[in-house]
Every structure is written in C-alpha cells, then in structure tokens.
Amino acid sequence: MPAGPYPALPGQPYGWYPAGAGCDPNDPLVTPPNAGLSGWFSRCTGALRRSWRLLIPIMLLTQAAPAAAVSLLSLGLNPSAQLETLPGDGSAPLPDGYLADVAAFGGAVLLGSLLLGLLQSLGWAAGTWAVTRQAAGEPADLGGALRYGLRRALGLWGWTLLSSVLIGVGVCFCVLPGIYLAFATALAGPVYLFERENPIGRSFRMFHERFGPVLGRLALVAAVLIVGSVVGGVLESVGMLPFGTDPLATPGATAGAVAVIVVAAVLVVPVYLVQLVGLLATYAEQRAHEGPVNAARLAAELG
C-alpha cells in the first residue's frame, strides 16, 4: 500500500485519513502517537470486546487442541513410570531399553510439537484477520478467518520456526541473549501477515526504533503469557495427582487424566487472546509512528 494519499476502498466507516493528517485519534485498533500506554491498553481491551466471540473458537481449535494433544502424547509415551520399581538409592541399573524409550519420547514430542505448530500458525493468522477486519468495520466470520489462516499458515510457521531457532541459540549463550531475541522477534508474525517482507529484520528494527515503549508493551504481554502458562501447568499437575505415576493404568484413570488435560488447555485460552491482541496492537502502534495508518488500511494489507 502506498504511504499516501490512501486509495479509496469500500467499507471504511472510520474514514481514510489523508497523508500528512496524522493518525485518527479514534481509530479502534491503531494507537496514535503520544496516546501512551493507556491508549494502547484501550485498543487491546476494545479488540477483545469486539472479537472475543470469534477468537475463542479459533483459539480452541488451533491453540488449546494442539496443546492438549502434545500433553496427551507426552502422557502416553513418557517412560518415567519404568523407574518407579527401582530402589531409591540408585544401585539398580536402568530398565532394558529405557534410554531408547526416552529418545523415542523426546523425538515424538518434538515432531508432534512441530507439526501442531503449523495448526497454531493458522490460528494466529486467522485471529489477526478477524481482529483487524472487525476493527475496520468489515464483515468477519469463522469460516473466512480459517480460510485466511490456511493461506498464511505455512509461511507464518516457517518464520516462527526460524525465530524459535534463533531464540534457542540465544538461550544456549547464558539465557539473556535468548530473552533479548524473544522480544526482538516478537513482532515478526504481524510483520509477515501485513507486509510479507523480511519479518525478522523488520521486527528487530521496530523493536529498536522505540525501544522503551515497545519493550514495555511486549513485557506486559510476556508477563500475562508466563503467569497464565504457569497457572495452567500447576492446575494440570495438581489435577493429575490422584491418578498416580501411571494414569493410563485403568480406563477410569485414563478418562480422568484426559479430562484434566483438556480442561487445563481450555483454561489457558484467555492467555492466547491477550497475546494475540497485545502483539497486534503493539505492531499497529509502531506503524502509526512511522506514518499515517488506520485499521482499514491494515485490513486491506492483509490481502
């Protein structure tokens, strides 16, 4: 899309702002310059109020379901139950084939996580499409969101994998470089969906151009994500205690363990919503500092 003046497109109830006029102070998605943290927060809460009916089924299908599937896969293949029969002093050798089972367990969980990551990328793209179009006053439905997510899932998945590799390498160098890379690449997803060019490099540039404000907003999103993930993990661990070290030993225990995993995954869905709208609002705000932009233009850029 050209920098300005904006071309006339249908369905723009909030109006196009001409080049040089600045950002619409009433835009429901784009925080105008100098609106500060309160402006960003109001855009996030507004996006949740408008789009939660669409976002919840999208996140259930593409985030909660994969998370539950990985947990169930881990539960079924975890070889740790083999160690329960060994004496606690470490004098007995490991059971035959235990190391092979551990390797198979790790490989299966890694492969499952990678494949399910493609479904998760579909969900992030679908949610971004829904939030942006509804902010622009354009029609959005679950089918349209999922179709858009399907078109963008593979590319978004690839860039997410690359970002994850960079973060993993950074963690190997005393953790702090990994934390820095996690923040610096956090906007790569929105950059890919809206601009589709050099997502990681562009995310780095956005992160450093307004380092303090962008870091602050990303830190708030990260805090919600960490707290929500910890709470979900604790709830799942506590819920699994009644089923012992081998929850799959009996049909009743298996049903109970599956129910606990599913409920824990569903309870974390609000965290995914906050992560999506927080990153999207941060990206839109940074775009506003680079030049005039509004929700209608962003919706047009999604394609």
Side-chain angles (χ1 to χ4, degrees):
M1 298 291 293
Y6 300 141
L9 294 178
Q12 314 302 339
Y14 299 101
W16 287 104
Y17 256 51
C23 293
D24 183 353
N26 299 314
D27 190 273
L29 181 61
V30 180
T31 307
N34 303 319
L37 185 61
S38 61
W40 174 85
F41 185 76
S42 69
R43 266 71 181 178
C44 292
T45 55
L48 289 174
R49 285 195 300 269
R50 281 189 306 273
S51 303
W52 67 270
R53 292 177 182 82
L54 264 180
L55 290 180
I56 286 179
I58 290 172
M59 295 303 159
L60 285 173
L61 290 171
T62 65
Q63 309 299 320
V70 171
S71 295
L72 290 172
L73 181 64
S74 302
L75 183 66
L77 297 179
N78 193 341
S80 61
Q82 301 177 28
L83 302 179
E84 295 299 319
T85 59
L86 300 180
D89 58 7
S91 58
L94 292 174
D96 292 338
Y98 176 75
L99 294 180
D101 290 342
V102 170
F105 165 72
V109 171
L110 177 61
L111 180 60
S113 299
L114 290 175
L115 294 177
L116 291 171
L118 182 59
L119 179 59
Q120 291 176 317
S121 295
L122 186 156
W124 293 126
T128 300
W129 183 89
V131 171
T132 306
R133 285 183 64 89
Q134 288 188 319
E138 299 182 8
D141 55 61
L142 181 60
L146 294 178
R147 286 192 296 272
Y148 175 82
L150 188 62
R151 295 204 312 269
R152 300 293 186 220
L154 188 60
L156 182 58
W157 182 56
W159 285 108
T160 301
L161 287 179
L162 181 56
S163 299
S164 300
V165 170
L166 291 175
I167 294 169
V169 171
V171 169
C172 293
F173 290 93
C174 301
V175 180
L176 285 179
I179 296 175
Y180 160 74
L181 289 169
F183 281 100
T185 60
L187 298 180
V191 170
Y192 169 75
L193 294 174
F194 289 99
E195 303 175 34
R196 289 180 289 284
E197 184 176 343
N198 191 22
I200 292 179
R202 181 93 164 93
S203 178
F204 266 84
R205 198 156 56 246
M206 283 186 158
F207 179 65
H208 289 101
E209 283 175 350
R210 296 179 62 247
F211 180 78
V214 174
L215 176 62
R217 286 146 179 73
L218 294 179
L220 289 175
V221 175
V224 173
L225 181 61
I226 292 171
V227 171
S229 299
V230 170
V231 170
V234 169
L235 290 175
E236 182 176 330
S237 299
V238 172
M240 296 292 287
L241 289 177
F243 307 112
T245 58
D246 189 8
L248 304 182
T250 64
T254 300
V258 170
V260 168
I261 289 173
V262 171
V263 169
V266 170
L267 290 177
V268 183
V269 165
V271 177
Y272 301 132
L273 270 62
V274 171
Q275 182 182 9
L276 174 67
V277 300
L279 293 179
L280 179 55
T282 302
Y283 169 82
E285 182 182 20
Q286 181 58 27
R287 285 287 302 272
H289 280 266
E290 297 175 350
V293 69
N294 62 6
R297 178 176 180 178
L298 291 176
E301 288 181 357
L302 284 173

